[in-house]
Amino acid sequence: MDGKLVPWDDAKIHVLTHGLHYGMAVFEGIRAFSTPDGTAIFRLEEHIERFLNSAKIYRMDLGYSARELSRACVDTVRNNPAKECYIRPLAFTGYGEMGLNPLTSKISIAIATWEWPAYLGSDSTGKGVRACVSSWVRIDSRAMPVQAKSAANYANSALAKMEALSGGYDEAIFLNTQGVGAEGPGENIFRVKDGVLSTPPASSGILRGITRDTVIQFASDLHIRFFRNDATKEELYTSDEVFFSGTAAGIAKVREIDGRRIGYDGTPITDKLIKLYDEATHGRSKRYSKWLTPVSK
Ligand code: PMP
């Protein structure tokens, strides 16, 4: 916290922390995996770059360089016992002056890690999860900067998540203000139709996921035909395969949307991508070792 390693129970803030009241917080979600050479962080550089860009969009000066933030993530993982963990860097307007204007608040930064198995459960790489199209529309980039991973955006996500869970589903799918599929509350979305993989373009108002980028790279390396393409709700329903991608969720199969079963002939393309993601993150593929930052515990 603010440059020091502190014990879990001491990582506390005041109730009048500005960001807690007005949503001025940006964060990242990163994972460290166990590899044959020890613990390593997957695509740390890209996550830190997005963290800095989120802060820039919100005019937050973090006061640390990308190198310093990366090193702080490595140090936090090193000083915790887990071999595999989720890493959460968070920057927020701190305790000081109340009132909406964030520019008078000092920025606090914390990095926490914890053990977090696949966010959508063990079905996500097996039989798949059940999703619903949310009645909540994804926030529009004219109202909120969707490319900034800001805490405020997750109020929209939380509404969709609660709606999905209370309806008996595992996850929600947002349509955007144009009425086409955008993303999940904490994941990007992909579909396969007739052997062609697609995902909505960044212009659909999505967070540019780092797992999404990883999947796009895999598709190219595996010679899978791929396009950035919008999909309507009915195109999602009639896909051969659908999956979510995200750091917390990994690559998570969707077996059903709004009670419509997805595909009939298995999930051959998703399965290949899940296997490669598992190999790349766990340091079992030389080709992708460039994406791993060792932690040497
Ligand atoms: N969209 C949203 C809204 C998210 O919160 C996330 C998780 N960060 C993603 C997509 C996937 O991003 P990533 O693959 O970088 O975790």
Side-chain angles (χ1 to χ4, degrees):
M1 277 184 97
D2 295 324
K4 291 194 192 70
L5 281 164
V6 299
W8 183 273
D9 288 340
D10 297 342
K12 291 178 183 156
I13 55 165
H14 196 274
V15 72
L16 290 186
T17 295
H18 183 276
L20 188 60
H21 294 251
Y22 303 111
M24 293 298 290
V26 296
F27 66 93
E28 263 310 312
I30 317 173
R31 271 191 192 273
F33 295 88
S34 185
T35 80
D37 301 321
T39 297
I41 304 177
F42 191 63
R43 304 201 69 174
L44 177 60
E45 209 179 295
E46 292 86 345
H47 281 283
I48 295 299
E49 188 186 346
R50 189 171 66 185
F51 189 45
L52 286 166
N53 283 333
S54 297
K56 177 188 270 187
I57 290 169
Y58 275 96
R59 294 168 167 244
M60 287 181 175
D61 180 5
L62 300 191
Y64 294 98
S65 67
R67 261 184 87 137
E68 288 169 323
L69 292 166
S70 297
R71 201 172 310 135
C73 287
V74 170
D75 282 349
T76 313
V77 174
R78 185 181 291 129
N79 281 280
N80 277 289
K83 288 202 172 73
E84 298 210 318
C85 62
Y86 184 84
I87 308 162
R88 167 60 53 82
L90 171 76
F92 54 97
T93 47
Y95 173 73
E97 199 175 307
M98 285 309 276
L100 185 51
N101 178 14
L103 296 173
T104 55
S105 293
K106 83 170 187 22
I107 305 297
S108 282
I109 303 193
I111 302 170
T113 74
W114 64 89
E115 288 179 76
W116 205 7
Y119 168 63
L120 294 175
S122 55
D123 280 353
S124 59
T125 49
K127 65 180 181 178
V129 301
R130 296 173 58 245
C132 62
V133 172
S134 184
S135 71
W136 295 99
V137 169
R138 187 60 173 151
I139 36 177
D140 188 285
S141 62
R142 289 167 297 185
M144 304 276 284
V146 286
Q147 305 233 333
K149 197 168 163 59
S150 81
N153 290 356
Y154 287 85
N156 177 240
S157 290
L159 288 166
K161 183 76 186 179
M162 288 188 286
E163 181 184 51
L165 293 177
S166 60
Y169 298 95
D170 302 302
E171 190 55 300
I173 297 171
F174 278 119
L175 304 184
N176 64 17
T177 50
Q178 262 68 55
V180 293
E183 61 184 338
E187 310 88 3
N188 292 113
I189 191 160
F190 283 81
R191 67 189 282 261
V192 177
K193 185 70 183 174
D194 299 329
V196 179
L197 179 70
S198 62
T199 196
S203 56
S204 298
I206 55 163
L207 185 76
R208 280 174 199 253
I210 290 158
T211 321
R212 172 180 177 272
D213 182 74
T214 301
V215 169
I216 293 170
Q217 186 66 55
F218 286 167
S220 162
D221 295 345
L222 293 170
H223 307 291
I224 296 167
R225 285 184 68 207
F226 167 74
F227 294 101
R228 287 173 184 81
N229 238 344
D230 280 324
T232 60
K233 186 160 79 168
E234 54 269 36
E235 282 169 331
L236 287 171
Y237 288 164
T238 56
S239 298
D240 299 328
E241 303 175 45
V242 173
F243 61 87
F244 289 116
S245 71
T247 301
I251 296 175
K253 292 185 207 176
V254 177
R255 74 170 192 272
E256 188 192 298
I257 304 174
D258 291 342
R260 279 82 167 177
R261 184 177 152 194
I262 303 301
Y264 297 100
D265 298 321
T267 50
I269 291 183
T270 314
D271 289 339
K272 272 190 208 155
L273 293 165
I274 288 174
K275 182 164 173 280
L276 200 49
Y277 185 67
D278 187 58
E279 287 170 6
T281 51
H282 290 91
R284 294 196 307 272
S285 162
K286 244 196 149 143
R287 183 172 206 169
Y288 304 111
S289 61
K290 59 179 187 225
W291 282 338
L292 291 166
T293 303
V295 171
S296 72
K297 288 219 178 212

